[in-house]
Amino acid sequence: MERLNDRCIRISVRTLVEFVMRSGDLDNRTSTAMEREAMLAGGRMHRKIQKQMGSNYEAEVGLKTKVTLAVSQEETDNHTVDFEDEIEIIVEGRADGIIKEDEAVTIDEIKGMYQDVAKFEDAFPVHKAQAICYAYMYVQNNELDSAWIQMTYCNLDTEEIKRFRYYYNADQLKQQFMEYINEYGKWAKFLYLHRRERKASIQGMEFPFAYRKGQRDIVVSVYRSIIRQTRLFIQAPTGIGKTISVLFPAVKAVGEGYGDKIFYLTAKTITRAVAEESFQVMRKNGMKLSSVTITAKEKLCVIPEMDCNPISCPRAKGHFDRVNHAVFDLITNETEASREVILAYAQKHNVCPFEMCLDVSTWMDAIICDYNYVFDPNIRLQRYFAETTTGEYLFFIDEAHNLVERAREMYSAVLIKETFLEAKRRMKASVTLIKKLDRCNRIMLQLKRECDTWKQLEEGEGIGALVLAVETLFGELQKWEESHPEYRRSKEDSEFFFSLRNFLAAYDRMDENYRVYTQHLEEGRFVVKILCVNPAKEIRACLDQGMSSVFFSATMLPIRYYKQLLSGEQNDYAIYAHSPFDTTKRLLLIGNDVTSRYSRRVRTEYQKIVQYIASIAGAKHGNYLVFFPSYGYMMDVLSIIEQQTLVYEYQVQKNSMTEHEREQFLEAFTEQNEKSFVGFCVSGGIFSEGIDLKGKRLIGVIMIGASLPQVCAEREILKRFYEEKEMDGFAYAYRYPAMNKVMQAAGRLIRTEQDYGVIALLDDRFLREEYISQFPIEWADYEVTSLHHVSEKLRQFWKNIKKRKDVF
């Protein structure tokens, strides 16, 4: 792999002009057309126009130029240097089209939108600037004296086209282009000087801790994966120190020029905090690598209800006039842009903290964020992942088992029939919109009549008519909003608008990895859903925009399942990191006389569960977690527990707990409880992963049942999808996700080398070969038990633990 050149700063044409030319207000009321344009960038209309242009039209022409800037001490602001040097700014992009007619050359820039293009009197300045950059590069590369630029605006609904043409000689193009470069210059110089400092600080940096068993293997494997620009899957047990083990080699690789920006992707806030702590540890050892944590917009917003426009939010007024100053202030004074730091600088400069946070990320070495900022087509960061752009990005996907279901939802979309009727009642003022809404409703009504409970639409039963009607409605909505500038969307209107947009986008993505189904929901609503069954292709396309990707989790078994759904490539590298913890400090029991099968969900079975819990909690004073397969099952068991005299105290996970309620729930797991304490939870819920109860705060985990997902339309569609591919459909739809929940919950126990405790799997199905084959290697010492023998096994285990000196 070729190492990156510290003196080379790369930037796309679009990023350059949008960055240096932005000004004015932050206003969500005028952004819908741009949102739609971004969604359809490179889409059908774009290609259609290009095909119509004739033989002298060359489409999608890649262009690149290099500009040299001097760096001197006087220009470095907060950096102190005693040298003069040069940096190279490489500007690159792809012109939509080059038209050659006799001696004349025209650079064509195509923009699709739903605005009434007939009313345009001139090209948008930022679009014009983009075309000027392409024209400059083409003229320079081909030694021409001049060029035309052409802005082609197309209404995506009517296909009406309006063009603007402008003539520039070579000197004019160069002058305009250099204005953009000079404006960007101080930022490029900052990047260069920071990279020098970063590189020097990382050289010779050592792993900050003594290696645990298995950690060195992870570090070496991640480093090699980055150097080879490959994908890597890591199965590593909880407590081994996965985060520092993947970030340390990533930092070393960046310092050696094998990458430029680290994306640490998580599903939960708590794992983001662990990544922040890992960077902090390395900074204490002298590392000069900067990082930013992207916090959700609603958690950063400074007004009671998010409404990003100058009427509702004072910071939106003139935001773009001030935000570049705010960003430069932060990046030249901070190495860690946490939520608190972002809020402080945003307040200082009176700008939107969320938009500022996104801008800050451009200049930081590492970005800690949720999955959706990379993978979700509606949310992903366009500054890095627009169209087919690539970068020197290193992706690290923490708790990667969560990405399967998250990605399915990201790439799926749903329409609810009743929302069309609700929208009709809200939009009485427009006769045209009423007609378009009625058309969509009639098609949905026909689909509803053809569906009993749920129905998978086979090939030939497509939704083409519905898509066409929705597309027409969406275009009419855009035009209506444009012609009514005083209109402000309500929350309901926004949700309806984006449901249409997302549905059209999902339809554009549809291929053999998608299925369409209709369903009557329990609350009486009727839906049409485009379901992404296998998101691997979509995920891989996102990751291919970077250089290397590492998926890691404590529950990545079976690895072939996760390769199938996260990359689609069984040849991807994978490693199994062995647990550093002594398995003799942990007793793993499987109850062979109890089950949570639906056919045996009766009072006598519940009573066995109650007896098991009492035996385990009564054998040793301490704190325990019990995980049930569903909330309903938990309530059935609790109805019996409430009638008994207990040897333990307990609390129950509630539906929709607030953050404060979650904290209170966990605070109850103390070492000072007078009796054994039991927390009753739902498998796969908020307490089954991401919580850290070390030492005596937790000495036992009890799994009730195999945690199989409930039979439903989507699970049955998944099952059928994989059976059609001659694979184990039941495993992919039910058993693999279930065992993941089991192993995640069991992972709450044994977090440090001093921890000890009991794991009890109460369901005879765990003794089947298809379940045992999914056990991690460390579970090979499981013991089979029953109600008659469990007390004796527990007594002997706790007796042995008491003799040890290496436990709390």
Side-chain angles (χ1 to χ4, degrees):
M1 171 184 172
E2 182 181 352
R3 299 191 189 202
L4 304 178
N5 184 350
D6 288 338
R7 289 183 172 82
C8 177
I9 309 295
R10 291 181 177 272
I11 188 170
S12 71
V13 168
R14 181 171 179 172
T15 301
L16 172 66
V17 298
E18 289 182 352
F19 179 72
V20 301
M21 294 192 68
R22 59 184 180 171
S23 62
D25 303 337
L26 179 64
D27 197 336
N28 58 358
R29 300 168 301 173
T30 59
S31 63
T32 55
M34 293 298 291
E35 291 168 349
R36 181 60 174 163
E37 175 200 342
M39 185 184 77
L40 293 176
R44 292 170 293 173
M45 188 58 67
H46 213 79
R47 294 189 293 270
K48 184 176 181 179
I49 293 173
Q50 290 171 329
K51 289 179 181 178
Q52 293 172 347
M53 294 303 293
S55 59
N56 65 336
Y57 189 96
E58 184 180 0
E60 302 298 328
V61 179
L63 295 168
K64 180 189 298 186
T65 192
K66 179 172 66 177
V67 182
T68 301
L69 292 182
V71 181
S72 61
Q73 181 171 351
E74 291 76 17
E75 296 176 305
T76 58
D77 292 341
N78 293 358
H79 293 268
T80 301
V81 293
D82 55 359
F83 64 88
E84 289 190 1
D85 211 337
E86 290 183 339
I87 60 172
E88 296 176 346
I89 301 177
I90 295 179
V91 185
E92 53 193 341
R94 190 174 294 275
D96 293 329
I98 307 291
I99 307 170
K100 299 177 182 178
E101 298 174 309
D102 298 325
E103 298 299 318
V105 171
T106 301
I107 310 300
D108 190 28
E109 183 67 18
I110 303 171
K111 299 296 180 184
M113 51 186 59
Y114 273 109
Q115 292 168 279
D116 186 352
V117 299
K119 294 180 180 179
F120 290 1
E121 296 179 357
D122 198 359
F124 288 84
V126 68
H127 299 159
K128 195 173 178 180
Q130 199 171 343
I132 286 172
C133 290
Y134 291 134
Y136 167 75
M137 290 190 282
Y138 192 84
V139 164
Q140 183 194 48
N141 295 344
N142 292 277
E143 299 181 349
L144 301 178
D145 296 327
S146 62
W148 289 83
I149 66 170
Q150 174 174 281
M151 296 307 309
T152 300
Y153 290 102
C154 177
N155 183 286
L156 293 166
D157 188 26
T158 66
E159 299 190 14
E160 180 181 2
I161 290 176
K162 186 165 185 177
R163 292 185 170 93
F164 299 95
R165 285 171 59 85
Y166 310 89
Y167 174 82
Y168 293 88
N169 63 40
D171 289 338
Q172 290 172 321
L173 290 170
K174 181 177 181 180
Q175 179 183 352
Q176 194 66 59
F177 179 78
M178 289 308 298
E179 285 184 17
Y180 306 144
I181 291 296
N182 290 332
E183 180 67 25
Y184 181 71
K186 78 169 184 178
W187 302 84
K189 292 169 185 176
F190 162 80
L191 271 184
Y192 166 61
L193 293 168
H194 172 69
R195 286 175 178 176
R196 279 176 57 95
E197 188 177 36
R198 179 183 73 187
K199 181 178 181 179
S201 73
I202 294 172
Q203 289 179 350
M205 189 174 73
E206 299 291 336
F207 192 72
F209 305 107
Y211 280 112
R212 285 178 173 175
K213 178 184 176 183
Q215 267 190 314
R216 186 184 292 274
D217 292 339
I218 296 175
V219 170
V220 171
S221 297
V222 170
Y223 183 80
R224 286 175 178 169
S225 177
I226 294 171
I227 300 301
R228 296 169 180 170
Q229 298 187 38
T230 58
R231 288 182 293 269
L232 173 67
F233 287 77
I234 302 174
Q235 157 72 26
T238 298
I240 196 175
K242 294 187 290 294
T243 304
I244 192 68
S245 299
V246 300
L247 285 181
F248 174 75
V251 168
K252 292 290 286 184
V254 168
E256 295 169 9
Y258 293 118
D260 188 50
K261 193 177 289 289
I262 297 168
F263 284 86
Y264 191 92
L265 311 177
T266 73
K268 292 181 169 58
T269 303
I270 190 169
T271 48
R272 273 168 251 170
V274 176
E276 290 175 335
E277 291 167 5
S278 296
F279 283 124
Q280 289 165 6
V281 166
M282 288 186 279
R283 287 193 190 103
K284 289 178 181 178
N285 290 349
M287 180 192 73
K288 302 290 186 182
L289 184 138
S290 58
S291 64
V292 58
T293 300
I294 298 180
T295 306
K297 189 173 186 177
E298 57 269 21
K299 293 184 179 180
L300 286 176
C301 188
V302 295
I303 59 176
E305 186 172 341
M306 288 189 303
D307 198 6
C308 303
N309 62 72
I311 295 175
S312 302
C313 178
R315 295 195 186 185
K317 182 68 175 176
H319 166 86
F320 290 114
D321 298 328
R322 301 182 298 273
V323 69
N324 281 5
H325 300 291
V327 171
F328 201 76
D329 187 13
L330 188 152
I331 64 176
T332 53
N333 288 287
E334 308 288 346
T335 56
E336 180 181 8
S338 63
R339 178 176 181 268
E340 293 72 25
V341 169
I342 292 291
L343 287 171
Y345 277 84
Q347 182 178 15
K348 176 181 177 182
H349 292 274
N350 194 33
V351 294
C352 169
F354 180 72
E355 292 297 328
M356 178 190 169
C357 182
L358 298 185
D359 289 338
V360 165
S361 74
T362 301
W363 312 101
M364 293 298 203
D365 303 312
I367 299 174
I368 304 168
C369 62
D370 188 88
Y371 297 154
N372 56 21
Y373 291 107
V374 172
F375 299 113
D376 192 319
N378 301 312
I379 301 173
R380 65 197 311 246
L381 300 173
Q382 292 297 311
R383 66 193 65 215
Y384 306 111
F385 310 116
E387 302 172 9
T388 56
T389 56
T390 59
E392 294 82 19
Y393 310 140
L394 309 178
F395 298 109
F396 296 88
I397 301 94
D398 192 4
E399 302 292 355
H401 62 276
N402 285 309
L403 183 56
V404 174
E405 293 301 329
R406 283 283 301 274
R408 279 190 177 129
E409 283 305 305
M410 289 175 191
Y411 301 113
S412 300
V414 64
L415 288 179
I416 303 173
K417 178 186 177 298
E418 289 68 24
T419 60
F420 289 89
L421 296 175
E422 293 162 3
K424 181 180 175 181
R425 287 193 288 270
R426 293 193 304 271
M427 300 175 182
K428 295 177 181 178
S430 173
V431 175
T432 304
L433 282 177
I434 294 296
K435 289 181 179 179
K436 305 299 184 188
L437 287 162
D438 281 340
R439 171 67 177 156
C440 293
N441 184 59
R442 284 196 299 271
I443 297 173
M444 294 278 281
L445 181 60
Q446 182 60 37
L447 291 170
K448 180 178 180 179
R449 289 169 178 163
E450 295 169 358
C451 174
D452 290 330
T453 53
W454 68 272
K455 178 183 179 182
Q456 180 176 329
L457 301 183
E458 305 295 344
E459 194 170 347
E461 296 181 288
I463 53 172
L466 177 60
V467 170
L468 182 60
V470 169
E471 196 165 36
T472 304
L473 169 62
F474 190 79
E476 195 62 39
L477 276 171
Q478 290 269 22
K479 287 196 295 185
W480 188 87
E481 288 190 5
E482 183 189 350
S483 62
H484 294 77
E486 75 286 353
Y487 167 73
R488 292 176 65 188
R489 283 193 207 144
S490 65
K491 180 181 178 181
E492 293 77 14
D493 285 346
S494 288
E495 290 175 352
F496 181 67
F497 175 90
F498 288 117
S499 72
L500 301 180
R501 188 196 73 169
N502 297 346
F503 193 81
L504 293 174
Y507 184 75
D508 278 345
R509 291 191 298 268
M510 273 184 61
D511 59 14
E512 69 277 5
N513 295 303
Y514 287 77
R515 294 292 184 267
V516 182
Y517 73 93
T518 58
Q519 184 178 21
H520 294 271
L521 301 181
E522 290 182 0
E523 63 268 27
R525 296 197 153 198
F526 176 75
V527 300
V528 178
K529 185 166 185 176
I530 298 174
L531 174 65
C532 179
V533 178
N534 185 354
K537 179 182 175 182
E538 313 289 1
I539 293 173
R540 190 170 65 247
C542 295
L543 298 178
D544 285 347
Q545 292 183 264
M547 300 172 70
S548 178
S549 308
V550 178
F551 299 90
F552 56 104
S553 171
T555 54
M556 292 280 279
L557 300 175
I559 199 68
R560 66 181 183 280
Y561 166 73
Y562 289 100
K563 286 183 177 181
Q564 176 74 23
L565 292 172
L566 296 178
S567 76
E569 299 288 345
Q570 292 296 330
N571 291 330
D572 284 343
Y573 291 100
I575 64 168
Y576 187 107
H578 292 271
S579 173
F581 304 131
D582 185 352
T583 57
T584 62
K585 295 180 184 177
R586 186 262 301 135
L587 176 64
L588 176 60
L589 299 174
I590 301 179
N592 66 358
D593 57 347
V594 67
T595 183
S596 66
R597 291 185 187 88
Y598 285 99
S599 60
R600 286 173 56 180
R601 291 191 177 185
V602 294
R603 186 173 181 83
T604 54
E605 203 69 22
Y606 298 153
Q607 288 173 333
K608 290 182 184 178
I609 298 296
V610 171
Q611 292 176 55
Y612 262 113
I613 296 171
S615 296
I616 295 170
K620 170 71 175 176
H621 175 265
N623 300 322
Y624 299 82
L625 281 171
V626 180
F627 292 95
F628 293 87
S630 69
Y631 195 82
Y633 193 106
M634 181 171 67
M635 291 297 102
D636 288 338
V637 172
L638 279 171
S639 67
I640 298 176
I641 289 176
E642 290 168 351
Q643 300 172 10
Q644 300 190 355
T645 302
L646 302 176
V647 296
Y648 58 87
E649 296 177 338
Y650 68 89
Q651 66 178 351
V652 181
Q653 174 186 337
K654 298 189 299 184
N655 279 326
S656 304
M657 297 177 76
T658 66
E659 190 168 337
H660 178 65
E661 288 173 330
R662 296 178 194 180
E663 291 173 356
Q664 285 185 314
F665 186 94
L666 295 175
E667 286 170 0
F669 289 81
T670 72
E671 298 181 14
Q672 287 75 43
N673 289 324
E674 294 181 1
K675 299 172 68 175
S676 283
F677 184 81
V678 179
F680 292 116
C681 307
V682 177
S683 177
I686 55 176
F687 298 115
S688 60
E689 61 178 288
I691 63 170
D692 204 15
L693 299 174
K694 298 176 181 177
K696 294 181 180 179
R697 293 191 67 194
L698 185 69
I699 65 168
V701 171
I702 303 171
M703 288 298 307
I704 310 298
S707 296
L708 293 172
Q710 290 186 342
V711 176
C712 64
E714 290 195 6
R715 288 291 140 188
E716 288 301 291
I717 290 170
L718 295 180
K719 179 172 174 285
R720 185 186 305 179
F721 176 88
Y722 288 103
E723 286 176 344
E724 289 171 356
K725 297 181 179 297
E726 298 185 351
M727 300 169 72
D728 189 340
F730 182 82
Y732 272 77
Y734 293 98
R735 191 168 63 250
Y736 293 159
M739 281 302 295
N740 184 280
K741 293 180 184 179
V742 170
M743 289 186 287
Q744 275 295 324
R748 300 315 92 208
L749 189 72
I750 313 295
R751 312 289 292 181
T752 71
E753 294 176 354
Q754 288 77 39
D755 292 358
Y756 55 86
V758 176
I759 298 172
L761 309 181
L762 302 184
D763 197 308
D764 58 14
R765 284 176 288 187
F766 287 118
L767 293 170
R768 293 180 180 177
E769 176 56 33
E770 59 265 32
Y771 286 87
I772 293 174
S773 65
Q774 288 183 241
F775 285 7
I777 293 172
E778 292 77 21
W779 283 16
D781 61 346
Y782 70 87
E783 297 183 28
V784 182
T785 191
S786 65
L787 267 175
H788 297 297
H789 300 99
V790 67
S791 294
E792 176 56 27
K793 287 183 178 291
L794 290 164
R795 187 192 67 79
Q796 188 61 48
F797 171 73
W798 290 121
K799 179 180 178 182
N800 294 335
I801 288 293
K802 190 175 182 179
K803 296 177 182 178
R804 303 185 66 133
K805 298 180 180 180
D806 57 347
V807 296
F808 284 113

